[in-house]
Amino acid sequence: MKHTKVKDLLQSTGTLQEVNAKGWVRTFRNNQFIALNDGSTIENIQCVVDFENTPEETLKRITTGAAVSVTGSLVESQGKGQKYEIQVLKLEILGDCDAEKFPIQPKNKPSLDFLRENAHLRVRTNAFGAIMRVRSVLSFAVHSYFQEKGFVYVNTPIITGSDAEGAGEMFKVTALPFDGTPRTEDGKVNYKEDFFEKETNLTVSGQLEAETYAMALGQVYTFGPTFRAENSNTSRHLAEFWMIEPEVAFNDLHDNMDLAEDFIQYVIKYTVDKCADDLKFLEGRLLDEEKSKPQAERSEMPLLEKLSFVLENNFKRVSYTEAIDILKNSTPNKKKKFNYIINEWGADLQSEHERFLVEKHFKCPVIVYDYPASIKSFYMRLNEDGKTVGAMDILFPGIGEIVGGSQREERYDVLVEKMKALGIDEEELYWYLDTRRFGSAVHSGFGLGFERLVLFVTGMTNIRDVIPFPRTPGNAEF
């Protein structure tokens, strides 16, 4: 008999004579009541076992974590908390689980740190089941938005010879031996003997390659894994993460801001509509977690209210220069409450500054644009004032920057000068410069770290908890 998902059973419009459900035991109490979950929903279905007519040996094998198959009647539940339950006529143990050794016991309320050490099993908990379902729906929403808008999905290279960010914190890709690495006469690694015959790395961004496709297909997007060898152990950094990067020909900076705002509101609304139960559970989880925190460290808004805040407010647009004036004259800056005091124009905004603008000053999402050229990447378009570039960052409550983008520098001569000033090899990026030599046009794009978005939507506080298997310094388990 084909089994039915727990989600579908719970949403049934009436009782059913015979159903089959398969899943994992969350709890088994009074030798009678199984709480069964199959991952299709945050909710369990109660399965009532006829313990008087079930062998003792079978009852002993119904433990938390065990995989079981139950067949019986779907009936209206006599107990509180559920509409339907299964009156079990036949029970089969599909996979035993040693209760003493299984580390994910709900009654023990395992900590997030403990669950990270058991990332291969943590998805058996309600919290991580909810997070991963939300992540899945968000991912689909990303593709849905761009496909509805006529964008072309482009798979950019994971192995690359270019450093889009210019930071140099990249993982090297090589087939050369570590012992007896071939060297040139001056002692440097001889990459001519390597697989690609040149130095290559794991990509930090698909942007540069996406730009080349935008200059033929008009509007494209990438959505794939990116890598950064930054030796940072903070709650906001991963060595492997996913990036969403659209690039659009003929879009200027203001078009870019419009696109980013529309995109973010679409994917969040789509997820709120599709994941109501999971988000309600995650909101409750966050409220419980914050009870142990000092009042000053707690979220200003419950999770669902924070998501509505983004959906219901137009994003305030403010230039970097205006933002610096606001921050310089703010009370926390004057009273030296900021960890990074704003003294002059040209300072790089920190998370505390970004959150002040969103949460205290404007009380809505904020887009800051026209940043100093000195603190932004080489590919951003130089403005007429010669000191700022057409960059934009979107700032959210509780998280600070969530999107970074810009109008790209489409003028060949200006781009070459900027590359020279930063010591970027023109020969290495000849193909990127070609797009400025052959039919160049105004174009723009942005990047959104997908895990940052999942972090915001789920209300989690550590980015390692919103990706199935986090990769961080010293950690490549599973």
Side-chain angles (χ1 to χ4, degrees):
M1 181 181 182
K2 187 173 173 62
H3 75 279
T4 305
K5 289 180 182 177
V6 168
K7 183 177 183 179
D8 294 334
L9 290 171
L10 293 172
Q11 292 176 351
S12 178
T13 54
T15 59
L16 296 166
Q17 270 303 107
E18 190 178 37
V19 297
N20 175 256
K22 295 177 181 177
W24 294 270
V25 177
R26 285 290 168 85
T27 60
F28 183 44
R29 57 189 176 83
N30 299 343
N31 250 13
Q32 189 175 14
F33 302 108
I34 299 173
L36 190 71
N37 190 282
D38 67 355
S40 62
T41 171
I42 190 83
E43 303 295 338
N44 306 321
I45 191 163
Q46 179 165 281
C47 306
V48 185
V49 178
D50 181 0
F51 64 93
E52 291 179 345
N53 293 305
T54 303
E56 185 68 25
E57 280 305 306
T58 301
L59 292 173
K60 285 181 180 177
R61 293 171 66 191
I62 305 173
T63 59
T64 296
V68 301
S69 170
V70 297
T71 304
S73 303
L74 186 72
V75 300
E76 290 186 5
S77 179
Q78 302 301 307
K80 293 180 180 178
Q82 65 269 331
K83 184 179 178 183
Y84 295 112
E85 64 187 21
I86 299 174
Q87 291 285 346
V88 180
L89 299 173
K90 180 185 175 185
L91 182 136
E92 182 184 357
I93 309 294
L94 302 176
D96 289 288
C97 183
D98 187 329
E100 300 210 354
K101 293 181 180 176
F102 184 52
I104 312 297
Q105 296 288 342
K107 61 186 178 184
N108 297 338
K109 293 191 175 177
S111 69
L112 291 173
D113 282 337
F114 175 82
L115 290 171
R116 282 177 212 124
E117 293 169 9
N118 292 275
H120 59 306
L121 296 173
R122 66 180 179 172
V123 75
R124 301 272 193 102
T125 64
N126 278 337
F128 283 92
I131 291 164
M132 292 308 155
R133 281 188 294 271
V134 169
R135 181 184 170 106
S136 173
V137 170
L138 262 175
S139 179
F140 182 83
V142 169
H143 287 290
S144 177
Y145 177 84
F146 287 122
Q147 292 295 323
E148 285 177 17
K149 297 285 184 183
F151 280 66
V152 177
Y153 179 37
V154 175
N155 301 120
T156 51
I158 288 173
I159 299 172
T160 178
S162 62
D163 179 0
E165 297 302 316
E169 295 163 333
M170 304 178 78
F171 290 102
K172 294 190 183 304
V173 175
T174 182
L176 293 174
F178 288 113
D179 296 326
T181 304
R183 303 277 175 179
T184 59
E185 288 182 4
D186 56 2
K188 294 181 179 177
V189 174
N190 186 359
Y191 285 106
K192 284 292 180 188
E193 294 193 26
D194 205 352
F195 186 89
F196 293 108
E197 298 185 7
K198 64 179 288 186
E199 186 176 354
T200 52
N201 310 285
L202 294 179
T203 186
V204 298
S205 167
Q207 178 205 315
L208 304 189
E209 292 87 352
E211 281 187 58
T212 68
Y213 267 63
M215 300 311 285
L217 298 175
Q219 43 186 26
V220 303
Y221 72 105
T222 75
F223 184 12
T226 51
F227 309 84
R228 198 159 294 176
E230 185 177 356
N231 191 13
S232 176
N233 253 316
T234 76
S235 60
R236 295 293 170 87
H237 287 88
L238 290 167
E240 176 185 280
F241 52 99
W242 287 64
M243 284 289 289
I244 301 157
E245 297 175 294
E247 290 292 328
V248 187
F250 317 119
N251 265 17
D252 64 16
L253 183 64
H254 295 283
D255 298 322
N256 203 35
M257 290 190 263
D258 291 342
L259 176 68
E261 180 173 344
D262 190 52
F263 166 73
I264 286 180
Q265 290 185 324
Y266 175 99
V267 296
I268 291 178
K269 184 173 189 316
Y270 186 98
T271 306
V272 167
D273 291 344
K274 297 283 185 183
C275 297
D277 289 345
D278 286 323
L279 291 172
K280 185 178 178 182
F281 171 85
L282 290 168
E283 179 175 71
R285 188 213 69 83
L286 181 60
L287 287 170
D288 285 344
E289 181 184 72
E290 294 199 328
K291 284 175 184 174
S292 61
K293 292 182 178 179
Q295 191 68 40
E297 293 179 23
R298 297 181 190 179
S299 301
E300 299 233 338
M301 292 176 267
L303 178 59
L304 291 171
E305 188 180 324
K306 188 174 68 171
L307 298 179
S308 295
F309 175 85
V310 170
L311 295 178
E312 293 167 6
N313 285 288
N314 291 327
F315 296 8
K316 174 68 178 177
R317 301 183 184 189
V318 56
S319 72
Y320 168 88
T321 301
E322 292 173 80
I324 284 293
D325 286 342
I326 291 166
L327 291 165
K328 271 175 69 176
N329 294 311
S330 70
T331 301
N333 198 62
K334 288 179 176 178
K335 292 188 174 180
K336 302 196 182 302
K337 293 281 180 72
F338 283 143
N339 291 321
Y340 297 88
I341 304 302
I342 300 289
N343 292 315
E344 57 187 18
W345 190 94
D348 206 349
L349 299 186
Q350 304 297 319
S351 181
E352 60 182 344
H353 307 134
E354 294 166 344
R355 290 186 60 182
F356 175 83
L357 291 170
V358 174
E359 296 165 26
K360 305 295 183 187
H361 189 81
F362 289 111
K363 298 188 185 300
C364 66
V366 175
I367 307 180
V368 179
Y369 63 93
D370 285 351
Y371 281 80
S374 59
I375 60 173
K376 289 295 183 180
S377 299
F378 77 95
Y379 51 73
M380 297 184 177
R381 192 183 200 277
L382 190 65
N383 289 329
E384 302 310 314
D385 60 16
K387 64 176 186 174
T388 63
V389 288
M392 51 149 267
D393 288 343
I394 299 183
L395 316 179
F396 267 20
I399 202 166
E401 182 199 335
I402 194 164
V403 167
S406 72
Q407 184 173 328
R408 313 310 190 189
E409 182 54 78
E410 86 281 7
R411 297 164 296 186
Y412 176 83
D413 293 343
V414 178
L415 185 59
V416 168
E417 284 304 310
K418 290 178 78 175
M419 289 170 66
K420 281 179 181 175
L422 293 168
I424 297 171
D425 190 343
E426 291 173 54
E427 289 187 15
E428 280 292 315
L429 286 180
Y430 77 92
W431 53 272
Y432 187 65
L433 288 170
D434 273 357
T435 60
R436 275 68 176 175
R437 294 174 61 214
F438 308 125
S440 185
V442 165
H443 62 288
S444 300
F446 62 82
L448 190 161
F450 185 55
E451 282 71 29
R452 283 260 176 124
L453 180 61
V454 181
L455 202 68
F456 180 77
V457 173
T458 59
M460 300 303 290
T461 53
N462 192 315
I463 204 161
R464 301 172 195 211
D465 296 331
V466 297
I467 192 168
F469 300 103
R471 297 290 180 250
T472 54
N475 178 36
E477 286 293 319
F478 318 110

